[in-house]
Amino acid sequence: MTSPTSPEEPWPVRTVARKIAEWINRLGSIWVEGQITQISLRPGAATAFLQLRDPSADVSLTLTCSSAMLRKMDPPLTDGSRVVVHGKPTFFVGRGTLSLRVDEIRAVGIGELLARIERLRQLLKAEGLFDPARKRPLPFLPNRVGLVTGRASAAEHDVLSNAQLRWPAVQFEIRNVAVQGSSAVPQILEALQELDAMPEVDVIVLARGGGSVEDLLPFSDEALCRAVSACRTPVVSAIGHEPDSPLVDHVADVRCSTPTGAAKRVVPDVAEETQRIHHLRDRARRALHGWVDRERRLLDALRSRPVLADPHGPLAQRAEQVGVLRDRARRAMTTALNNERHALSATRSRLTTLGPAATLARGYAIVQRIEDGADGVLRSVDDAPPGTRLRVRVVDGAIQAVVPDRAG
């Protein structure tokens, strides 16, 4: 297909339509999977028209097939059926529409659906989307709870009534969406993105009642599972009943078996919390009283000790001890002085007795002859020859010298 050479020479509509049809007709046949959302089979018409929708996106494609082929299908197709079709893209020049001319339609059975879900489960698990380490804890008391559920559904009533019964002040941000069918996944994805972007929403609850495997297929969709995993806000999954286990249960941060269980998980019970507060307050009161009693007993014990009961008593005892020690020191010093005085007196008496004055007083004399030679020294009076006259010099009662009297 070539472009016009200038705005002054545009192609007419028929030329554009013909060239588009020629280009599309060159495309080969393809297999397409989707969900039937609309069947137009008029009595007597040779051609039937269907709408094939992508379960994960708001995208649809028109199908055309022979009415006979559609009537021969067993079981017959219904809205919401998952199918795989084989056809060739066709562009209708007259209406300017694109459709897929189908020559074979295969219904996807429940066994094949379960097999696909299992393959997707293994894929998401291998990528770590089921890892418990990724699970975020729920807030103790959320500021606002986001709720994604069907309009006027039993799941919505269960969540609201049970949550308000447990915590009357709880606030909800509700988004009503389709919870089954072809439009369920796009609407749930939009609601999730909107609630996740609201800073006042602290937790998001996906709630739906029970149903068949086909009814719960939107909650095993890959796009929805990845969207739940990417949410910054903790997500609680409450899909179906206890036996039901769609893939979103494994990706969500918390899985609850029923919407009632989700209501009990997202908000605390005001009666239980009040009772817990009273219990903790009683424990704190008992602990405080016990501590005060222990400290009072300790103060009484300290106050009853002698050092605190009579603070002057120890000082008096110490003063008495100091006095006794001082007296003992005084007596010891006096005794030592007396002993030394007596020893000094005895020594002085011995010196007096042995001194020359005492000898002279008894009529004796100690003389010394002094001559020029060593032999002239009289060691005693007995050394003087008989008849020798001696001269004795006494100074202050002490003999200074004894010499021979040369004059005699």
Side-chain angles (χ1 to χ4, degrees):
M1 184 182 297
T2 59
S3 302
T5 57
S6 66
E8 288 76 15
E9 297 180 0
W11 284 348
V13 175
R14 61 182 181 277
T15 303
V16 175
R18 179 175 53 79
K19 290 184 176 292
I20 292 175
E22 291 175 355
W23 185 81
I24 291 178
N25 288 334
R26 290 197 296 269
L27 298 177
S29 298
I30 55 174
W31 289 95
V32 183
E33 179 186 3
Q35 190 174 25
I36 300 296
T37 60
Q38 183 179 350
I39 301 176
S40 179
L41 180 59
R42 297 177 182 178
T47 302
F49 296 89
L50 305 90
Q51 289 291 328
L52 187 66
R53 185 184 183 91
D54 191 320
S56 302
D58 190 11
V59 178
S60 60
L61 182 64
T62 300
L63 305 181
T64 60
C65 66
S66 65
S67 299
M69 182 182 67
L70 193 61
R71 290 190 181 96
K72 291 178 182 179
M73 292 194 64
D74 186 23
L77 289 181
T78 58
D79 287 350
S81 299
R82 296 287 292 266
V83 296
V84 176
V85 300
H86 181 266
K88 186 176 184 303
T90 303
F91 186 78
F92 292 94
V93 177
R95 296 191 301 271
T97 58
L98 176 67
S99 65
L100 190 65
R101 182 64 183 179
V102 176
D103 55 21
E104 185 177 355
I105 300 178
R106 297 181 183 180
V108 179
I110 185 64
E112 187 174 354
L113 287 176
L114 293 177
R116 293 183 181 182
I117 292 175
E118 183 61 28
R119 288 195 296 270
L120 180 58
R121 184 195 307 273
Q122 297 300 328
L123 174 63
L124 297 180
K125 183 178 180 180
E127 293 182 9
L129 269 65
F130 298 169
D131 190 356
R134 298 183 63 259
K135 309 296 183 181
R136 291 156 295 188
L138 300 183
F140 171 72
L141 185 60
N143 180 40
R144 189 178 291 268
V145 179
L147 177 60
V148 180
T149 185
R151 184 180 301 278
S153 61
E156 179 181 1
H157 177 266
D158 290 345
V159 173
L160 294 179
S161 60
N162 285 279
Q164 292 172 352
L165 183 64
R166 290 172 60 84
W167 196 270
V170 63
Q171 297 181 359
F172 281 91
E173 192 72 30
I174 303 175
R175 294 295 181 270
N176 294 120
V177 298
V179 292
Q180 68 183 52
S182 58
S183 60
V185 174
Q187 292 184 20
I188 296 174
L189 290 175
E190 183 180 356
L192 272 178
Q193 294 174 358
E194 183 177 351
L195 293 176
D196 190 39
M198 299 177 65
E200 63 271 17
V201 174
D202 295 331
V203 62
I204 300 174
V205 179
L206 294 178
R208 188 202 188 282
S212 63
V213 176
E214 292 86 350
D215 294 338
L216 299 180
L217 278 179
F219 297 96
S220 293
D221 185 83
E222 181 179 1
L224 179 59
C225 291
R226 296 188 181 278
V228 170
S229 176
C231 282
R232 295 173 298 176
T233 306
V235 178
V236 178
S237 175
I239 308 301
H241 300 299
E242 182 64 33
D244 301 321
S245 182
L247 296 183
V248 74
D249 282 352
H250 303 282
V251 180
D253 298 289
V254 176
R255 187 252 180 183
C256 297
S257 58
T258 60
T260 302
K264 294 180 180 180
R265 289 296 301 273
V266 296
V267 293
D269 187 356
V270 64
E272 293 179 0
E273 298 304 322
T274 302
Q275 184 179 3
R276 184 178 291 109
I277 290 174
H278 291 328
H279 177 66
L280 293 176
R281 187 168 57 188
D282 292 340
R283 286 181 57 188
R285 184 185 296 110
R286 290 194 299 270
L288 181 59
H289 287 173
W291 178 80
V292 172
D293 291 340
R294 288 194 303 272
E295 296 300 322
R296 182 182 291 113
R297 288 194 296 270
L298 177 61
L299 288 176
D300 293 340
L302 294 175
R303 191 168 50 191
S304 63
R305 292 182 178 180
V307 69
L308 293 179
D310 184 16
H312 297 285
L315 296 177
Q317 293 177 2
R318 296 300 179 184
E320 184 178 356
Q321 292 178 0
V322 170
V324 171
L325 293 175
R326 185 174 54 192
D327 293 340
R328 288 177 58 186
R330 182 181 295 109
R331 289 195 298 271
M333 183 62 68
T334 302
T335 301
L337 291 176
N338 291 333
N339 292 336
E340 295 299 326
R341 184 179 296 109
H342 293 325
L344 182 60
S345 299
T347 302
R348 186 170 55 191
S349 298
R350 288 196 301 271
L351 291 176
T352 302
T353 301
L354 299 176
T359 301
L360 294 175
R362 292 196 304 268
Y364 295 93
I366 299 175
V367 297
Q368 185 178 28
R369 188 179 63 185
I370 300 174
E371 295 180 355
D372 295 336
D375 295 338
V377 177
L378 295 178
R379 301 297 180 185
S380 67
V381 177
D382 296 334
D383 292 338
T388 302
R389 298 182 65 180
L390 301 175
R391 182 181 296 174
V392 179
R393 186 172 59 196
V394 178
V395 178
D396 295 332
I399 298 175
Q400 290 287 329
V402 178
V403 298
D405 188 2
R406 301 296 184 179

